[in-house]
Amino acid sequence: QTEEADVMLLSVPSYACQRKTTLQNHNSVFTDALTLLAENAEMEDEDGRGVAFRRAAAVLKALPKAVTSMKQLNGLPCLGDHCQRVIRDILENGISSEAEATRQSERYNALKALTGIFGVGAKTADRWIRDGIRSVAMLRDSGHALNRAQLAGLQYYDDINQPVTRAEADAIGDIVERAVASVLPGAQISLTGGFRRGKLTGHDVDFLITHPEEGREEGLMPKVVSWLDSQGFLLYQKTMRNSYLESKDGPARPPSSMDRFERCFSIFKLTTEQKQEALTAEAPTESQHPESQMKCGELKETGHAGHKPWRAVRVDLVVSPISQFAFALLGWTGSKLFERELRRWAGYEKAMSLSSHALYDNVQKRYLRAASEQEIFAHLGLEYIPPAERNA
Ligand code: DGT
Ligand code: MG
């Protein structure tokens, strides 16, 4: 009888953008396995399979409690035969044999190590593996020709593969704030990406920059970048107008999701001192809190003799005109699956095209304006989902 009740309880709408997905995940034992299989599919350039695993994981993340029997899956969307096999395996044996076999396979580990290098995508990693290179050390010894991004990626490999903390993100935010304020007073910066969704760590820090007066943001990126560079904050940077044309090695994305904002992929040099300043400036009275003491302790650790007193952090900067700001903010906050689902919903259910620039109504044949994320959700006929609940 309780099982019957469970079946009734577990029901979610089929698009991730129709659901609230917080960071509290009751089904991580399943979603970890499905995410690993998704990651593997993506590294093998099998995007369709990758999305199927990600959609299934997102459905389980949105459930209010842990799945304990296959019956509870009845009526849940996006769970195909393959995903159900993985879930059944975990329910019966505690682990997914497929996920474990993948985790231990030489190819998965080689792909993971090589694509973990900034500037290296699935295709390049595959080519290197076919040349017999299976690790970062082997790549270093191989004498292979590397581009500027990959050289930086190798040079700062360990730092870049260490998660960025919220304190570090805030310290970077202070620096970007100073850069922007000194080259264009009145310009505004917003933290986007995973940190805006409330994640405690990230693989990079994402910022969106705009100015309340349309047009004032033009030419801003080169100025911000040269200020940062002159102050010694940049270990690497590449500014581009259109990420679609340039990111040959990046994850394959349909052209519709591409944008034409000025964008800067960079690697920041964050000193222990800057991190300390950000902590004390932001929370002068917080030193009594156990959590902030713990952070200070961590900082001492990384700063002591024998360690370099700074770390490399991946930072993405995007500049948007104010008229497109709401679309850019929505598009750069993520999660990636949430974004993909928003675009799928817009196209299939509403005959609209959504990008990080605009929303176009294909029936009325006109653009729909929006000054806030709330207005975009309203245009799409969706309940507003705040950033902390977009963790699909
Ligand atoms: P993280 O950094 O791994 O902790 O997690 P996120 O969610 O911050 O992921 P990230 O930094 O790769 O990307 C943040 C969001 O930005 C993501 O939801 C999608 C968006 N985004 C990333 N690259 C592009 C792009 O080339 N074009 C557009 N329109 N959006 C992008
Ligand atoms: Mg990010």
Side-chain angles (χ1 to χ4, degrees):
Q1 204 184 339
T2 46
E3 219 168 65
E4 284 299 309
D6 284 345
V7 175
M8 307 279 280
L9 272 173
L10 299 183
S11 130
V12 300
S14 62
Y15 289 83
C17 54
Q18 296 173 288
R19 314 186 290 251
K20 294 172 188 282
T21 312
T22 64
L23 289 168
Q24 196 183 8
N25 177 0
H26 302 281
N27 287 288
S28 52
V29 57
F30 307 106
T31 60
D32 286 352
L34 292 167
T35 302
L36 183 135
L37 294 173
E39 219 174 33
N40 185 55
E42 287 157 2
M43 291 192 300
E44 293 289 5
D45 233 359
E46 296 169 8
D47 270 14
R49 263 166 28 92
V51 177
F53 285 128
R54 296 232 180 246
R55 281 206 192 113
V59 165
L60 299 183
K61 281 184 203 170
L63 297 178
K65 56 180 169 169
V67 168
T68 51
S69 89
M70 289 303 285
K71 276 196 193 142
Q72 294 170 312
L73 305 182
N74 283 341
L76 290 180
C78 309
L79 300 177
D81 290 346
H82 194 158
C83 293
Q84 296 216 22
R85 249 186 350 259
V86 172
I87 297 167
R88 179 178 294 115
D89 200 6
I90 296 172
L91 283 172
E92 288 172 1
N93 308 309
I95 57 161
S96 154
S97 51
E98 187 185 358
E100 283 316 305
T102 304
R103 196 196 305 280
Q104 282 158 33
S105 82
E106 196 178 342
R107 177 155 174 94
Y108 169 83
N109 284 290
L111 282 169
K112 184 117 177 119
L114 296 177
T115 59
I117 304 169
F118 173 66
V120 178
K123 290 208 173 75
T124 304
D126 178 60
R127 190 155 30 82
W128 287 343
I129 291 170
R130 282 190 275 116
D131 288 346
I133 295 167
R134 291 183 311 276
S135 68
V136 172
M138 287 170 91
L139 178 66
R140 281 204 171 98
D141 295 341
S142 72
H144 256 72
L146 301 176
N147 65 30
R148 207 167 61 85
Q150 294 160 349
L151 282 171
L154 260 195
Q155 191 173 356
Y156 306 114
Y157 186 82
D158 291 340
D159 275 6
I160 290 175
N161 282 288
Q162 185 195 323
V164 182
T165 65
R166 178 68 208 217
E168 289 166 337
D170 289 339
I172 302 273
D174 287 352
I175 295 167
V176 175
E177 194 88 61
R178 273 162 60 202
V180 167
S182 62
V183 300
L184 182 64
Q188 295 164 358
I189 76 163
S190 310
L191 182 64
T192 63
F195 286 112
R196 181 162 183 252
R197 302 196 309 274
K199 277 178 63 181
L200 297 176
T201 60
H203 98 282
D204 67 359
V205 195
D206 307 285
F207 294 100
L208 178 60
I209 307 168
T210 191
H211 190 284
E213 234 176 280
E214 184 85 3
R216 292 289 300 279
E217 81 294 342
E218 272 174 39
L220 181 55
M221 189 70 90
K223 289 182 197 155
V224 170
V225 168
S226 72
W227 187 92
L228 289 167
D229 202 25
S230 70
Q231 303 285 313
F233 289 127
L234 293 182
L235 296 166
Y236 168 90
Q237 70 84 17
K238 179 164 182 171
T239 305
M240 50 187 63
R241 249 222 102 72
N242 182 347
S243 51
Y244 174 57
L245 294 172
E246 308 244 9
S247 66
K248 283 179 229 113
D249 272 340
R253 286 168 196 275
S256 63
S257 72
M258 282 308 136
D259 60 61
R260 284 161 168 69
F261 293 124
E262 274 201 314
R263 177 172 186 184
C264 177
F265 296 95
S266 71
I267 302 175
F268 266 54
K269 178 176 186 171
L270 182 65
T271 66
T272 310
E273 226 168 69
Q274 286 151 359
K275 234 157 61 167
Q276 190 74 64
E277 273 169 24
L279 278 178
T280 48
E282 254 159 50
T285 57
E286 251 190 19
S287 55
Q288 293 99 324
H289 291 221
E291 198 197 356
S292 84
Q293 278 172 1
M294 192 191 76
K295 280 182 198 154
C296 293
E298 280 173 9
L299 292 178
K300 261 188 218 138
E301 271 279 278
T302 54
H304 68 56
H307 293 263
K308 62 181 173 32
W310 57 271
R311 72 161 290 192
V313 181
R314 275 274 299 112
V315 177
D316 271 6
L317 305 174
V318 179
V319 172
S320 143
I322 190 74
S323 59
Q324 300 174 12
F325 178 76
F327 297 99
L329 184 62
L330 178 60
W332 289 85
T333 295
S335 67
K336 282 195 186 101
L337 184 77
F338 191 90
E339 302 295 336
R340 198 185 248 276
E341 294 278 278
L342 270 177
R343 293 192 298 267
R344 192 165 68 97
W345 168 270
Y348 280 81
E349 306 294 332
K350 298 285 155 180
M352 294 178 185
S353 310
L354 175 69
S355 74
S356 296
H357 295 271
L359 179 62
Y360 185 76
D361 186 319
N362 297 310
V363 177
Q364 296 184 57
K365 304 243 180 285
R366 66 180 184 101
Y367 287 96
L368 304 177
R369 301 193 157 277
S372 66
E373 291 180 319
Q374 281 85 346
E375 287 177 45
I376 303 172
F377 280 88
H379 282 317
L380 290 169
L382 290 169
E383 183 192 344
Y384 177 67
I385 311 281
E389 293 172 341
R390 296 180 203 160
N391 286 292

